[in-house]
Amino acid sequence: MATMKDIARLAGVSTSTVSHVINKSRFVSDEIAERVNRAAKELNYAPSALARSLKVNRTQTIGMLVTTSTNPFFGEVVKGVERSCYQKGYNLILCNTEGDSERMKASIDTLLQKRVDGLLLMCSTLEGEQIDVFERYPDIPVVVMDWGPMSFASDKIQDNSYQGGYLAARYLIDCGHHEIGCITGPLMKHQAQIRYEGFKRALNEAGLAFHRDWIVESDFESEGGYQAFNKIFASGSLPSAIFACNDMMAMGIINAAHEKGIRIPEDLSLIGYDDIHIAKFMTPSLTTIHQPKYRLGQAAVETLLKRINKEITEPQVVQLEPTLVVRKSVRRVGN
């Protein structure tokens, strides 16, 4: 691999002159600059990103940790992160935690040793974990995405899940439904809990009763939705509508209902949450709460870069608002 010394030798100039031409750090005459650039091209010279990063104390690299899931939601958020990094001239190193706290801590340690400029964390399955590694790197910028309360300082990007849960239940009520069930995510997780709290607020405002057999805690996965619906079915009666607290569980519900000859929305209305890309291609197409996934990733990168560039000093919380997407899985009843 050619070095600046090789270019200097071929061009008949000093190494410092080559450096000034390559880095554009000082004026060099057009004639000398042309000789240097011609020599660099002849030697197939490529600047060392490592050397430059050591000089400016930046690697133009961001590390991101995400928990593996079958839910396309995560992939759609990562797409927003990756596109934003590319547009801003940054590289992205993606690490999968597999929902394991030790693997998460090891991945963070590895990324910091590789001198990433900042970190994005999207590992809500590890909510509440004490991450001691940040005590050894107190100055590393960190942005947390879609997570609950944290034991370390960071900026945070989140969906207004309380409002989203409220919107879902309110739409079912406005469509004339009075017997409404809910399949929640793991209620020990902050986002799952507040999504359910929004749902409860809408029912309380409407003066509707809660049927405990129609409220089932699940895991945000399709299999969990499938099993949760079977549990409601086994209780002996069905609500007229169900709020599935994410689209993956809604897929499981559609499958379980179809096996039992229960038609959606004729026999059971269903609303999901997230608006993953495939939601509109389900049968029937899924009415759901749209979570701005691409914007979530974009906002995380923008906030992290502001932190890296010291444009912000106080912890930031950026909250993105959900919206209702009406499709074919909810029917209107009564008048």
Side-chain angles (χ1 to χ4, degrees):
M1 182 181 293
T3 66
M4 286 191 182
K5 285 184 179 180
D6 298 325
I7 296 172
R9 191 178 306 115
L10 182 60
V13 298
S14 67
T15 304
S16 63
T17 297
V18 173
S19 176
H20 290 312
V21 173
I22 298 296
N23 296 312
K24 299 180 181 179
S25 54
R26 198 185 73 185
F27 174 76
V28 176
S29 71
D30 291 344
E31 188 270 330
I32 291 177
E34 185 179 348
R35 278 162 50 194
V36 169
N37 287 326
R38 188 164 55 244
K41 185 175 182 179
E42 186 176 330
L43 294 170
N44 292 319
Y45 171 78
S48 169
L50 177 59
R52 178 166 177 78
S53 70
L54 292 173
K55 184 176 181 179
V56 301
N57 200 30
R58 291 279 183 89
T59 61
Q60 296 295 112
T61 302
I62 289 172
M64 182 178 184
L65 281 84
V66 64
T67 299
T68 290
S69 169
T70 57
N71 191 347
F73 167 83
F74 294 99
E76 293 177 31
V77 173
V78 170
K79 181 179 179 180
V81 170
E82 192 279 329
R83 179 68 61 84
S84 296
C85 284
Y86 175 76
Q87 291 172 344
K88 301 291 185 180
Y90 271 75
N91 298 305
L92 179 67
I93 300 177
L94 187 64
C95 294
N96 168 28
T97 68
E98 295 281 3
D100 181 275
S101 67
E102 291 307 311
R103 181 165 177 176
M104 176 181 70
K105 292 172 185 177
S107 295
I108 292 172
D109 225 341
T110 298
L111 289 170
L112 295 181
Q113 288 172 20
K114 290 183 179 296
R115 299 173 56 85
V116 295
D117 295 335
L119 287 173
L120 299 174
L121 303 184
M122 195 175 185
C123 316
S124 59
T125 56
L126 301 170
E127 184 178 308
E129 289 283 344
Q130 181 72 35
I131 307 179
D132 300 329
V133 67
F134 290 135
E135 295 177 6
R136 303 199 300 276
Y137 301 90
D139 298 325
I140 187 74
V142 178
V143 171
V144 168
M145 306 164 67
D146 207 24
W147 206 340
M150 298 158 292
S151 58
F152 53 91
S154 77
D155 300 307
K156 185 173 182 180
I157 314 295
Q158 65 184 19
D159 163 63
N160 187 348
S161 286
Y162 183 84
Q163 179 66 10
Y166 178 83
L167 284 174
R170 185 72 254 172
Y171 180 68
L172 294 176
I173 294 166
D174 289 344
C175 287
H177 295 279
H178 297 152
E179 297 179 328
I180 303 174
C182 182
I183 297 178
T184 76
L187 293 177
M188 64 180 291
K189 303 303 179 187
H190 180 72
Q191 293 300 100
Q193 178 64 47
I194 63 174
R195 203 167 287 181
Y196 179 50
E197 292 297 325
F199 166 84
K200 289 195 294 183
R201 174 190 158 198
L203 264 63
N204 284 329
E205 284 183 355
L208 299 181
F210 288 80
H211 193 308
R212 71 178 194 175
D213 288 336
W214 297 342
I215 310 295
V216 180
E217 182 178 359
S218 191
D219 61 0
F220 281 144
E221 300 292 344
S222 295
E223 180 64 27
Y226 179 91
Q227 298 294 346
F229 178 80
N230 286 337
K231 184 174 180 179
I232 292 174
F233 183 82
S235 71
S237 64
L238 283 177
S240 68
I242 290 177
F243 168 38
C245 287
N246 81 342
D247 293 346
M248 291 296 285
M249 293 192 297
M251 289 177 63
I253 293 167
I254 290 172
N255 183 251
H258 177 73
E259 288 181 355
K260 293 173 172 52
I262 296 167
R263 301 167 301 164
I264 296 175
E266 292 84 357
D267 304 322
L268 174 71
S269 288
L270 178 65
I271 187 168
Y273 199 109
D274 283 341
D275 192 26
I276 58 177
H277 180 68
I278 60 175
K280 63 183 177 181
F281 300 109
M282 296 179 193
T283 304
S285 59
L286 185 66
T287 293
T288 186
I289 301 299
H290 174 77
Q291 186 170 182
K293 298 166 289 300
Y294 186 89
R295 177 62 187 142
L296 184 71
Q298 186 181 53
V301 173
E302 290 172 354
T303 302
L304 185 59
L305 294 185
K306 286 180 181 178
R307 178 66 62 182
I308 290 170
N309 295 323
K310 303 188 186 306
E311 296 173 20
I312 52 177
T313 55
E314 296 300 315
Q316 305 289 302
V317 176
V318 179
Q319 184 159 271
L320 304 177
E321 297 301 321
T323 54
L324 173 69
V325 178
V326 176
R327 296 194 180 104
K328 300 293 182 62
S329 63
V330 175
R331 74 180 182 99
R332 292 187 174 273
V333 297
N335 297 329

Short mmCIF file of all heavy atoms in Angstrom, two decimals, residues 111-151:
data_model
loop_
_atom_site.label_atom_id
_atom_site.label_comp_id
_atom_site.label_asym_id
_atom_site.label_seq_id
_atom_site.Cartn_x
_atom_site.Cartn_y
_atom_site.Cartn_z
N LEU A 111 -17.57 -1.85 20.78
CA LEU A 111 -17.79 -0.66 19.96
C LEU A 111 -16.99 0.53 20.48
O LEU A 111 -16.43 1.31 19.70
CB LEU A 111 -19.28 -0.31 19.93
CG LEU A 111 -20.18 -1.26 19.14
CD1 LEU A 111 -21.65 -0.96 19.39
CD2 LEU A 111 -19.87 -1.19 17.65
N LEU A 112 -16.93 0.68 21.79
CA LEU A 112 -16.19 1.80 22.35
C LEU A 112 -14.68 1.63 22.14
O LEU A 112 -13.96 2.60 21.91
CB LEU A 112 -16.52 1.96 23.83
CG LEU A 112 -17.98 2.33 24.13
CD1 LEU A 112 -18.21 2.49 25.62
CD2 LEU A 112 -18.37 3.61 23.41
N GLN A 113 -14.21 0.39 22.20
CA GLN A 113 -12.81 0.14 21.91
C GLN A 113 -12.48 0.44 20.45
O GLN A 113 -11.35 0.80 20.11
CB GLN A 113 -12.46 -1.31 22.24
CG GLN A 113 -12.42 -1.59 23.74
CD GLN A 113 -12.27 -3.07 24.04
OE1 GLN A 113 -11.85 -3.85 23.19
NE2 GLN A 113 -12.63 -3.47 25.25
N LYS A 114 -13.47 0.30 19.58
CA LYS A 114 -13.27 0.63 18.17
C LYS A 114 -13.44 2.13 17.91
O LYS A 114 -13.43 2.57 16.77
CB LYS A 114 -14.25 -0.16 17.29
CG LYS A 114 -13.94 -1.65 17.24
CD LYS A 114 -14.89 -2.38 16.31
CE LYS A 114 -14.56 -3.86 16.23
NZ LYS A 114 -13.24 -4.11 15.66
N ARG A 115 -13.61 2.89 18.98
CA ARG A 115 -13.64 4.35 18.92
C ARG A 115 -14.81 4.90 18.10
O ARG A 115 -14.63 5.86 17.34
CB ARG A 115 -12.30 4.88 18.38
CG ARG A 115 -11.10 4.51 19.23
CD ARG A 115 -9.79 4.92 18.54
NE ARG A 115 -9.75 6.34 18.24
CZ ARG A 115 -9.38 7.30 19.09
NH1 ARG A 115 -9.02 6.98 20.33
NH2 ARG A 115 -9.37 8.56 18.71
N VAL A 116 -15.98 4.28 18.24
CA VAL A 116 -17.15 4.88 17.59
C VAL A 116 -17.38 6.26 18.20
O VAL A 116 -17.06 6.52 19.36
CB VAL A 116 -18.41 4.00 17.75
CG1 VAL A 116 -18.24 2.67 17.02
CG2 VAL A 116 -18.76 3.78 19.21
N ASP A 117 -17.96 7.15 17.40
CA ASP A 117 -18.17 8.52 17.87
C ASP A 117 -19.38 8.63 18.80
O ASP A 117 -19.51 9.59 19.55
CB ASP A 117 -18.37 9.46 16.69
CG ASP A 117 -17.12 9.57 15.83
OD1 ASP A 117 -16.01 9.34 16.37
OD2 ASP A 117 -17.24 9.88 14.63
N GLY A 118 -20.29 7.66 18.73
CA GLY A 118 -21.48 7.67 19.56
C GLY A 118 -22.23 6.36 19.45
O GLY A 118 -21.92 5.53 18.59
N LEU A 119 -23.22 6.17 20.31
CA LEU A 119 -23.96 4.91 20.37
C LEU A 119 -25.47 5.15 20.28
O LEU A 119 -25.99 6.10 20.89
CB LEU A 119 -23.67 4.17 21.68
CG LEU A 119 -22.32 3.49 21.85
CD1 LEU A 119 -22.19 2.98 23.27
CD2 LEU A 119 -22.15 2.37 20.85
N LEU A 120 -26.15 4.26 19.57
CA LEU A 120 -27.61 4.19 19.56
C LEU A 120 -28.00 2.87 20.21
O LEU A 120 -27.49 1.81 19.81
CB LEU A 120 -28.16 4.25 18.14
CG LEU A 120 -27.86 5.50 17.32
CD1 LEU A 120 -28.35 5.32 15.88
CD2 LEU A 120 -28.50 6.72 17.95
N LEU A 121 -28.89 2.91 21.18
CA LEU A 121 -29.33 1.69 21.86
C LEU A 121 -30.82 1.48 21.61
O LEU A 121 -31.63 2.36 21.88
CB LEU A 121 -29.08 1.78 23.37
CG LEU A 121 -27.65 2.05 23.85
CD1 LEU A 121 -27.59 2.01 25.37
CD2 LEU A 121 -26.68 1.03 23.27
N MET A 122 -31.15 0.31 21.10
CA MET A 122 -32.55 -0.06 20.91
C MET A 122 -32.73 -1.49 21.40
O MET A 122 -32.89 -2.42 20.62
CB MET A 122 -32.96 0.07 19.44
CG MET A 122 -34.46 0.05 19.25
SD MET A 122 -34.89 0.35 17.53
CE MET A 122 -36.68 0.40 17.68
N CYS A 123 -32.67 -1.65 22.71
CA CYS A 123 -32.67 -2.99 23.33
C CYS A 123 -33.69 -3.01 24.46
O CYS A 123 -33.34 -3.23 25.62
CB CYS A 123 -31.29 -3.33 23.88
SG CYS A 123 -29.93 -2.94 22.80
N SER A 124 -34.94 -2.75 24.13
CA SER A 124 -35.96 -2.60 25.17
C SER A 124 -36.18 -3.88 25.98
O SER A 124 -36.71 -3.83 27.09
CB SER A 124 -37.29 -2.15 24.56
OG SER A 124 -37.75 -3.07 23.60
N THR A 125 -35.74 -5.03 25.46
CA THR A 125 -35.87 -6.26 26.24
C THR A 125 -34.94 -6.25 27.45
O THR A 125 -35.08 -7.06 28.36
CB THR A 125 -35.54 -7.50 25.38
OG1 THR A 125 -34.23 -7.35 24.84
CG2 THR A 125 -36.54 -7.68 24.27
N LEU A 126 -33.97 -5.33 27.45
CA LEU A 126 -33.01 -5.24 28.54
C LEU A 126 -33.27 -4.00 29.39
O LEU A 126 -32.38 -3.51 30.08
CB LEU A 126 -31.58 -5.21 27.98
CG LEU A 126 -31.24 -6.45 27.14
CD1 LEU A 126 -29.91 -6.27 26.42
CD2 LEU A 126 -31.21 -7.70 28.00
N GLU A 127 -34.49 -3.50 29.34
CA GLU A 127 -34.87 -2.31 30.08
C GLU A 127 -34.53 -2.44 31.56
O GLU A 127 -34.79 -3.47 32.18
CB GLU A 127 -36.37 -2.10 29.90
CG GLU A 127 -36.94 -0.86 30.52
CD GLU A 127 -38.43 -0.76 30.23
OE1 GLU A 127 -38.82 -0.85 29.06
OE2 GLU A 127 -39.19 -0.62 31.19
N GLY A 128 -33.97 -1.38 32.13
CA GLY A 128 -33.66 -1.37 33.55
C GLY A 128 -32.30 -1.93 33.90
O GLY A 128 -31.88 -1.92 35.05
N GLU A 129 -31.56 -2.44 32.91
CA GLU A 129 -30.23 -3.00 33.16
C GLU A 129 -29.25 -1.89 33.59
O GLU A 129 -29.28 -0.78 33.07
CB GLU A 129 -29.68 -3.68 31.91
CG GLU A 129 -30.38 -4.97 31.55
CD GLU A 129 -29.95 -6.14 32.42
OE1 GLU A 129 -28.91 -6.02 33.10
OE2 GLU A 129 -30.65 -7.15 32.43
N GLN A 130 -28.41 -2.22 34.54
CA GLN A 130 -27.32 -1.33 34.92
C GLN A 130 -26.16 -1.57 33.95
O GLN A 130 -25.65 -2.69 33.87
CB GLN A 130 -26.85 -1.63 36.36
CG GLN A 130 -25.73 -0.72 36.84
CD GLN A 130 -26.20 0.70 37.11
OE1 GLN A 130 -27.32 0.91 37.55
NE2 GLN A 130 -25.35 1.67 36.84
N ILE A 131 -25.76 -0.53 33.22
CA ILE A 131 -24.70 -0.70 32.22
C ILE A 131 -23.44 -0.02 32.74
O ILE A 131 -23.21 1.17 32.53
CB ILE A 131 -25.13 -0.12 30.85
CG1 ILE A 131 -26.49 -0.73 30.44
CG2 ILE A 131 -24.09 -0.42 29.79
CD1 ILE A 131 -27.02 -0.22 29.13
N ASP A 132 -22.62 -0.80 33.45
CA ASP A 132 -21.44 -0.25 34.12
C ASP A 132 -20.40 0.27 33.14
O ASP A 132 -19.58 1.11 33.51
CB ASP A 132 -20.80 -1.33 35.02
CG ASP A 132 -21.77 -1.83 36.08
OD1 ASP A 132 -22.62 -1.02 36.50
OD2 ASP A 132 -21.68 -3.00 36.47
N VAL A 133 -20.41 -0.24 31.91
CA VAL A 133 -19.37 0.14 30.96
C VAL A 133 -19.37 1.65 30.72
O VAL A 133 -18.32 2.24 30.45
CB VAL A 133 -19.54 -0.63 29.63
CG1 VAL A 133 -20.81 -0.20 28.90
CG2 VAL A 133 -18.34 -0.43 28.73
N PHE A 134 -20.54 2.30 30.86
CA PHE A 134 -20.59 3.74 30.62
C PHE A 134 -19.84 4.53 31.69
O PHE A 134 -19.48 5.68 31.47
CB PHE A 134 -22.04 4.22 30.52
CG PHE A 134 -22.73 3.76 29.27
CD1 PHE A 134 -24.01 3.25 29.31
CD2 PHE A 134 -22.10 3.84 28.03
CE1 PHE A 134 -24.65 2.82 28.15
CE2 PHE A 134 -22.73 3.41 26.87
CZ PHE A 134 -24.00 2.91 26.93
N GLU A 135 -19.63 3.91 32.83
CA GLU A 135 -18.84 4.58 33.87
C GLU A 135 -17.39 4.71 33.45
O GLU A 135 -16.68 5.61 33.90
CB GLU A 135 -18.95 3.81 35.19
CG GLU A 135 -20.37 3.80 35.76
CD GLU A 135 -20.47 2.96 37.02
OE1 GLU A 135 -19.42 2.49 37.52
OE2 GLU A 135 -21.61 2.79 37.52
N ARG A 136 -16.92 3.82 32.57
CA ARG A 136 -15.53 3.89 32.10
C ARG A 136 -15.40 4.81 30.90
O ARG A 136 -14.29 5.19 30.53
CB ARG A 136 -15.02 2.48 31.72
CG ARG A 136 -15.10 1.48 32.87
CD ARG A 136 -14.19 0.28 32.62
NE ARG A 136 -14.52 -0.44 31.40
CZ ARG A 136 -15.45 -1.39 31.33
NH1 ARG A 136 -16.18 -1.70 32.39
NH2 ARG A 136 -15.68 -2.02 30.18
N TYR A 137 -16.53 5.12 30.25
CA TYR A 137 -16.53 6.02 29.09
C TYR A 137 -17.60 7.09 29.31
O TYR A 137 -18.60 7.15 28.59
CB TYR A 137 -16.83 5.25 27.81
CG TYR A 137 -15.87 4.12 27.48
CD1 TYR A 137 -16.10 2.83 27.94
CD2 TYR A 137 -14.75 4.36 26.70
CE1 TYR A 137 -15.22 1.79 27.62
CE2 TYR A 137 -13.87 3.33 26.38
CZ TYR A 137 -14.12 2.06 26.85
OH TYR A 137 -13.27 1.03 26.53
N PRO A 138 -17.41 7.96 30.30
CA PRO A 138 -18.47 8.91 30.65
C PRO A 138 -18.77 9.95 29.58
O PRO A 138 -19.84 10.58 29.62
CB PRO A 138 -17.93 9.58 31.92
CG PRO A 138 -16.44 9.44 31.81
CD PRO A 138 -16.21 8.12 31.13
N ASP A 139 -17.86 10.13 28.64
CA ASP A 139 -18.05 11.19 27.64
C ASP A 139 -18.65 10.69 26.33
O ASP A 139 -18.85 11.49 25.41
CB ASP A 139 -16.71 11.88 27.35
CG ASP A 139 -16.14 12.56 28.58
OD1 ASP A 139 -16.93 13.07 29.38
OD2 ASP A 139 -14.90 12.56 28.74
N ILE A 140 -18.91 9.39 26.22
CA ILE A 140 -19.44 8.88 24.95
C ILE A 140 -20.90 9.29 24.79
O ILE A 140 -21.73 9.05 25.67
CB ILE A 140 -19.30 7.33 24.86
CG1 ILE A 140 -19.70 6.85 23.47
CG2 ILE A 140 -20.10 6.64 25.95
CD1 ILE A 140 -18.69 7.15 22.40
N PRO A 141 -21.27 9.93 23.67
CA PRO A 141 -22.67 10.30 23.45
C PRO A 141 -23.54 9.06 23.24
O PRO A 141 -23.16 8.15 22.50
CB PRO A 141 -22.62 11.15 22.17
CG PRO A 141 -21.20 11.60 22.05
CD PRO A 141 -20.38 10.46 22.61
N VAL A 142 -24.69 9.02 23.89
CA VAL A 142 -25.60 7.88 23.79
C VAL A 142 -27.01 8.39 23.54
O VAL A 142 -27.48 9.31 24.21
CB VAL A 142 -25.59 7.03 25.09
CG1 VAL A 142 -26.58 5.88 24.98
CG2 VAL A 142 -24.19 6.51 25.38
N VAL A 143 -27.69 7.78 22.57
CA VAL A 143 -29.12 8.04 22.35
C VAL A 143 -29.85 6.71 22.47
O VAL A 143 -29.48 5.73 21.84
CB VAL A 143 -29.38 8.67 20.96
CG1 VAL A 143 -30.88 8.72 20.67
CG2 VAL A 143 -28.80 10.08 20.90
N VAL A 144 -30.88 6.71 23.29
CA VAL A 144 -31.69 5.51 23.51
C VAL A 144 -32.99 5.65 22.73
O VAL A 144 -33.61 6.71 22.70
CB VAL A 144 -31.98 5.33 25.02
CG1 VAL A 144 -33.05 4.29 25.23
CG2 VAL A 144 -30.70 4.92 25.75
N MET A 145 -33.39 4.56 22.09
CA MET A 145 -34.58 4.57 21.25
C MET A 145 -35.64 3.63 21.81
O MET A 145 -35.37 2.45 22.02
CB MET A 145 -34.21 4.14 19.83
CG MET A 145 -33.08 4.97 19.23
SD MET A 145 -32.36 4.19 17.77
CE MET A 145 -33.73 4.28 16.63
N ASP A 146 -36.86 4.18 22.06
CA ASP A 146 -38.00 3.34 22.40
C ASP A 146 -37.74 2.47 23.63
O ASP A 146 -38.00 1.27 23.63
CB ASP A 146 -38.35 2.45 21.20
CG ASP A 146 -39.82 2.05 21.20
OD1 ASP A 146 -40.62 2.77 21.79
OD2 ASP A 146 -40.16 1.01 20.62
N TRP A 147 -37.19 3.08 24.68
CA TRP A 147 -36.81 2.37 25.90
C TRP A 147 -37.51 3.02 27.07
O TRP A 147 -37.96 4.15 26.99
CB TRP A 147 -35.30 2.45 26.08
CG TRP A 147 -34.66 1.34 26.86
CD1 TRP A 147 -35.25 0.50 27.74
CD2 TRP A 147 -33.28 0.96 26.82
NE1 TRP A 147 -34.32 -0.39 28.25
CE2 TRP A 147 -33.11 -0.12 27.71
CE3 TRP A 147 -32.17 1.43 26.14
CZ2 TRP A 147 -31.88 -0.73 27.93
CZ3 TRP A 147 -30.94 0.83 26.36
CH2 TRP A 147 -30.80 -0.24 27.24
N GLY A 148 -37.55 2.35 28.21
CA GLY A 148 -38.15 2.92 29.42
C GLY A 148 -37.14 3.71 30.23
O GLY A 148 -36.11 4.15 29.73
N PRO A 149 -37.41 3.90 31.54
CA PRO A 149 -36.50 4.65 32.41
C PRO A 149 -35.10 4.03 32.40
O PRO A 149 -34.94 2.82 32.34
CB PRO A 149 -37.15 4.49 33.79
CG PRO A 149 -38.61 4.25 33.50
CD PRO A 149 -38.62 3.45 32.24
N MET A 150 -34.07 4.88 32.46
CA MET A 150 -32.69 4.41 32.32
C MET A 150 -31.88 4.75 33.55
O MET A 150 -32.16 5.73 34.25
CB MET A 150 -32.06 5.05 31.08
CG MET A 150 -32.74 4.67 29.79
SD MET A 150 -32.42 5.87 28.49
CE MET A 150 -33.30 7.30 29.10
N SER A 151 -30.84 3.96 33.79
CA SER A 151 -29.96 4.18 34.94
C SER A 151 -28.70 4.92 34.54
O SER A 151 -27.77 5.01 35.31
CB SER A 151 -29.59 2.82 35.57
OG SER A 151 -28.95 1.99 34.61
#
